[in-house]
PDB file of all heavy atoms in Angstrom:
ATOM      1  N   ARG A 203       5.196   3.191  -3.275  1.00 89.00           N
ATOM      2  CA  ARG A 203       6.553   2.646  -3.221  1.00 89.00           C
ATOM      3  C   ARG A 203       6.872   1.771  -4.419  1.00 89.00           C
ATOM      4  O   ARG A 203       8.037   1.471  -4.678  1.00 89.00           O
ATOM      5  CB  ARG A 203       6.727   1.808  -1.946  1.00 89.00           C
ATOM      6  CG  ARG A 203       6.943   2.617  -0.692  1.00 89.00           C
ATOM      7  CD  ARG A 203       6.929   1.746   0.548  1.00 89.00           C
ATOM      8  NE  ARG A 203       7.661   0.487   0.406  1.00 89.00           N
ATOM      9  CZ  ARG A 203       7.660  -0.471   1.331  1.00 89.00           C
ATOM     10  NH1 ARG A 203       6.967  -0.298   2.440  1.00 89.00           N
ATOM     11  NH2 ARG A 203       8.343  -1.579   1.149  1.00 89.00           N
ATOM     12  N   TYR A 204       5.837   1.332  -5.145  1.00 94.00           N
ATOM     13  CA  TYR A 204       6.038   0.326  -6.191  1.00 94.00           C
ATOM     14  C   TYR A 204       5.835   0.891  -7.584  1.00 94.00           C
ATOM     15  O   TYR A 204       5.008   1.785  -7.794  1.00 94.00           O
ATOM     16  CB  TYR A 204       5.089  -0.859  -5.952  1.00 94.00           C
ATOM     17  CG  TYR A 204       5.331  -1.511  -4.614  1.00 94.00           C
ATOM     18  CD1 TYR A 204       4.451  -1.320  -3.548  1.00 94.00           C
ATOM     19  CD2 TYR A 204       6.474  -2.265  -4.393  1.00 94.00           C
ATOM     20  CE1 TYR A 204       4.700  -1.893  -2.306  1.00 94.00           C
ATOM     21  CE2 TYR A 204       6.730  -2.832  -3.164  1.00 94.00           C
ATOM     22  CZ  TYR A 204       5.843  -2.645  -2.124  1.00 94.00           C
ATOM     23  OH  TYR A 204       6.106  -3.198  -0.897  1.00 94.00           O
ATOM     24  N   VAL A 205       6.561   0.342  -8.536  1.00 95.00           N
ATOM     25  CA  VAL A 205       6.444   0.766  -9.926  1.00 95.00           C
ATOM     26  C   VAL A 205       5.015   0.594 -10.423  1.00 95.00           C
ATOM     27  O   VAL A 205       4.478   1.432 -11.147  1.00 95.00           O
ATOM     28  CB  VAL A 205       7.414  -0.034 -10.820  1.00 95.00           C
ATOM     29  CG1 VAL A 205       7.193   0.299 -12.293  1.00 95.00           C
ATOM     30  CG2 VAL A 205       8.864   0.232 -10.420  1.00 95.00           C
ATOM     31  N   LEU A 206       4.352  -0.491 -10.018  1.00 95.00           N
ATOM     32  CA  LEU A 206       3.000  -0.784 -10.495  1.00 95.00           C
ATOM     33  C   LEU A 206       1.916  -0.122  -9.652  1.00 95.00           C
ATOM     34  O   LEU A 206       0.726  -0.313  -9.902  1.00 95.00           O
ATOM     35  CB  LEU A 206       2.781  -2.299 -10.543  1.00 95.00           C
ATOM     36  CG  LEU A 206       3.710  -3.048 -11.506  1.00 95.00           C
ATOM     37  CD1 LEU A 206       3.372  -4.528 -11.545  1.00 95.00           C
ATOM     38  CD2 LEU A 206       3.665  -2.455 -12.908  1.00 95.00           C
ATOM     39  N   LYS A 207       2.317   0.638  -8.650  1.00 94.00           N
ATOM     40  CA  LYS A 207       1.425   1.494  -7.868  1.00 94.00           C
ATOM     41  C   LYS A 207       0.239   0.757  -7.245  1.00 94.00           C
ATOM     42  O   LYS A 207      -0.883   1.247  -7.211  1.00 94.00           O
ATOM     43  CB  LYS A 207       0.903   2.659  -8.721  1.00 94.00           C
ATOM     44  CG  LYS A 207       1.998   3.532  -9.296  1.00 94.00           C
ATOM     45  CD  LYS A 207       2.888   4.111  -8.202  1.00 94.00           C
ATOM     46  CE  LYS A 207       4.002   4.971  -8.792  1.00 94.00           C
ATOM     47  NZ  LYS A 207       4.988   5.398  -7.773  1.00 94.00           N
ATOM     48  N   ARG A 208       0.494  -0.426  -6.750  1.00 93.00           N
ATOM     49  CA  ARG A 208      -0.494  -1.123  -5.946  1.00 93.00           C
ATOM     50  C   ARG A 208       0.220  -2.003  -4.951  1.00 93.00           C
ATOM     51  O   ARG A 208       1.422  -2.274  -5.093  1.00 93.00           O
ATOM     52  CB  ARG A 208      -1.456  -1.950  -6.807  1.00 93.00           C
ATOM     53  CG  ARG A 208      -0.888  -3.208  -7.443  1.00 93.00           C
ATOM     54  CD  ARG A 208      -2.022  -4.044  -8.028  1.00 93.00           C
ATOM     55  NE  ARG A 208      -1.593  -5.225  -8.743  1.00 93.00           N
ATOM     56  CZ  ARG A 208      -1.359  -6.413  -8.177  1.00 93.00           C
ATOM     57  NH1 ARG A 208      -1.456  -6.550  -6.860  1.00 93.00           N
ATOM     58  NH2 ARG A 208      -1.015  -7.450  -8.911  1.00 93.00           N
ATOM     59  N   MET A 209      -0.514  -2.473  -3.953  1.00 92.00           N
ATOM     60  CA  MET A 209       0.063  -3.377  -2.971  1.00 92.00           C
ATOM     61  C   MET A 209       0.051  -4.803  -3.496  1.00 92.00           C
ATOM     62  O   MET A 209      -0.787  -5.170  -4.319  1.00 92.00           O
ATOM     63  CB  MET A 209      -0.713  -3.302  -1.654  1.00 92.00           C
ATOM     64  CG  MET A 209      -0.512  -1.997  -0.893  1.00 92.00           C
ATOM     65  SD  MET A 209      -1.478  -1.931   0.634  1.00 92.00           S
ATOM     66  CE  MET A 209      -0.727  -3.273   1.571  1.00 92.00           C
ATOM     67  N   CYS A 210       0.971  -5.588  -2.992  1.00 94.00           N
ATOM     68  CA  CYS A 210       0.976  -7.018  -3.262  1.00 94.00           C
ATOM     69  C   CYS A 210      -0.218  -7.658  -2.554  1.00 94.00           C
ATOM     70  O   CYS A 210      -0.630  -7.219  -1.475  1.00 94.00           O
ATOM     71  CB  CYS A 210       2.279  -7.611  -2.749  1.00 94.00           C
ATOM     72  SG  CYS A 210       2.510  -9.369  -3.051  1.00 94.00           S
ATOM     73  N   THR A 211      -0.787  -8.679  -3.150  1.00 94.00           N
ATOM     74  CA  THR A 211      -1.869  -9.430  -2.516  1.00 94.00           C
ATOM     75  C   THR A 211      -1.400 -10.848  -2.219  1.00 94.00           C
ATOM     76  O   THR A 211      -0.486 -11.359  -2.876  1.00 94.00           O
ATOM     77  CB  THR A 211      -3.110  -9.498  -3.426  1.00 94.00           C
ATOM     78  OG1 THR A 211      -2.810 -10.348  -4.555  1.00 94.00           O
ATOM     79  CG2 THR A 211      -3.518  -8.114  -3.914  1.00 94.00           C
ATOM     80  N   PRO A 212      -2.034 -11.507  -1.244  1.00 96.00           N
ATOM     81  CA  PRO A 212      -1.690 -12.909  -1.003  1.00 96.00           C
ATOM     82  C   PRO A 212      -1.840 -13.770  -2.257  1.00 96.00           C
ATOM     83  O   PRO A 212      -1.068 -14.715  -2.464  1.00 96.00           O
ATOM     84  CB  PRO A 212      -2.677 -13.321   0.090  1.00 96.00           C
ATOM     85  CG  PRO A 212      -2.949 -12.064   0.842  1.00 96.00           C
ATOM     86  CD  PRO A 212      -2.979 -10.992  -0.226  1.00 96.00           C
ATOM     87  N   GLN A 213      -2.808 -13.438  -3.106  1.00 97.00           N
ATOM     88  CA  GLN A 213      -2.996 -14.207  -4.332  1.00 97.00           C
ATOM     89  C   GLN A 213      -1.805 -14.051  -5.273  1.00 97.00           C
ATOM     90  O   GLN A 213      -1.410 -15.009  -5.952  1.00 97.00           O
ATOM     91  CB  GLN A 213      -4.278 -13.776  -5.046  1.00 97.00           C
ATOM     92  CG  GLN A 213      -4.626 -14.627  -6.270  1.00 97.00           C
ATOM     93  CD  GLN A 213      -4.820 -16.100  -5.931  1.00 97.00           C
ATOM     94  OE1 GLN A 213      -5.583 -16.429  -5.023  1.00 97.00           O
ATOM     95  NE2 GLN A 213      -4.129 -16.985  -6.630  1.00 97.00           N
ATOM     96  N   ASP A 214      -1.207 -12.858  -5.334  1.00 97.00           N
ATOM     97  CA  ASP A 214      -0.012 -12.666  -6.148  1.00 97.00           C
ATOM     98  C   ASP A 214       1.092 -13.633  -5.720  1.00 97.00           C
ATOM     99  O   ASP A 214       1.761 -14.256  -6.559  1.00 97.00           O
ATOM    100  CB  ASP A 214       0.513 -11.226  -6.003  1.00 97.00           C
ATOM    101  CG  ASP A 214      -0.402 -10.182  -6.611  1.00 97.00           C
ATOM    102  OD1 ASP A 214      -1.032 -10.476  -7.646  1.00 97.00           O
ATOM    103  OD2 ASP A 214      -0.477  -9.072  -6.058  1.00 97.00           O
ATOM    104  N   VAL A 215       1.277 -13.740  -4.426  1.00 98.00           N
ATOM    105  CA  VAL A 215       2.331 -14.617  -3.903  1.00 98.00           C
ATOM    106  C   VAL A 215       1.984 -16.079  -4.157  1.00 98.00           C
ATOM    107  O   VAL A 215       2.851 -16.890  -4.530  1.00 98.00           O
ATOM    108  CB  VAL A 215       2.553 -14.363  -2.404  1.00 98.00           C
ATOM    109  CG1 VAL A 215       3.740 -15.189  -1.902  1.00 98.00           C
ATOM    110  CG2 VAL A 215       2.787 -12.884  -2.131  1.00 98.00           C
ATOM    111  N   ALA A 216       0.724 -16.428  -3.973  1.00 98.00           N
ATOM    112  CA  ALA A 216       0.284 -17.805  -4.212  1.00 98.00           C
ATOM    113  C   ALA A 216       0.499 -18.204  -5.665  1.00 98.00           C
ATOM    114  O   ALA A 216       0.895 -19.341  -5.956  1.00 98.00           O
ATOM    115  CB  ALA A 216      -1.179 -17.973  -3.821  1.00 98.00           C
ATOM    116  N   ASN A 217       0.239 -17.298  -6.599  1.00 98.00           N
ATOM    117  CA  ASN A 217       0.474 -17.593  -8.010  1.00 98.00           C
ATOM    118  C   ASN A 217       1.934 -17.952  -8.248  1.00 98.00           C
ATOM    119  O   ASN A 217       2.249 -18.897  -8.981  1.00 98.00           O
ATOM    120  CB  ASN A 217       0.101 -16.383  -8.878  1.00 98.00           C
ATOM    121  CG  ASN A 217      -1.387 -16.108  -8.917  1.00 98.00           C
ATOM    122  OD1 ASN A 217      -2.202 -16.980  -8.615  1.00 98.00           O
ATOM    123  ND2 ASN A 217      -1.758 -14.889  -9.280  1.00 98.00           N
ATOM    124  N   GLY A 218       2.834 -17.196  -7.614  1.00 98.00           N
ATOM    125  CA  GLY A 218       4.259 -17.494  -7.753  1.00 98.00           C
ATOM    126  C   GLY A 218       4.637 -18.815  -7.125  1.00 98.00           C
ATOM    127  O   GLY A 218       5.457 -19.569  -7.669  1.00 98.00           O
TER     128      GLY A 218
END
Side-chain angles (χ1 to χ4, degrees):
R203 282 173 43 187
Y204 300 105
V205 174
L206 298 183
K207 302 302 179 188
R208 72 169 176 87
M209 289 179 64
C210 182
T211 70
Q213 186 59 52
D214 292 325
V215 185
N217 291 340

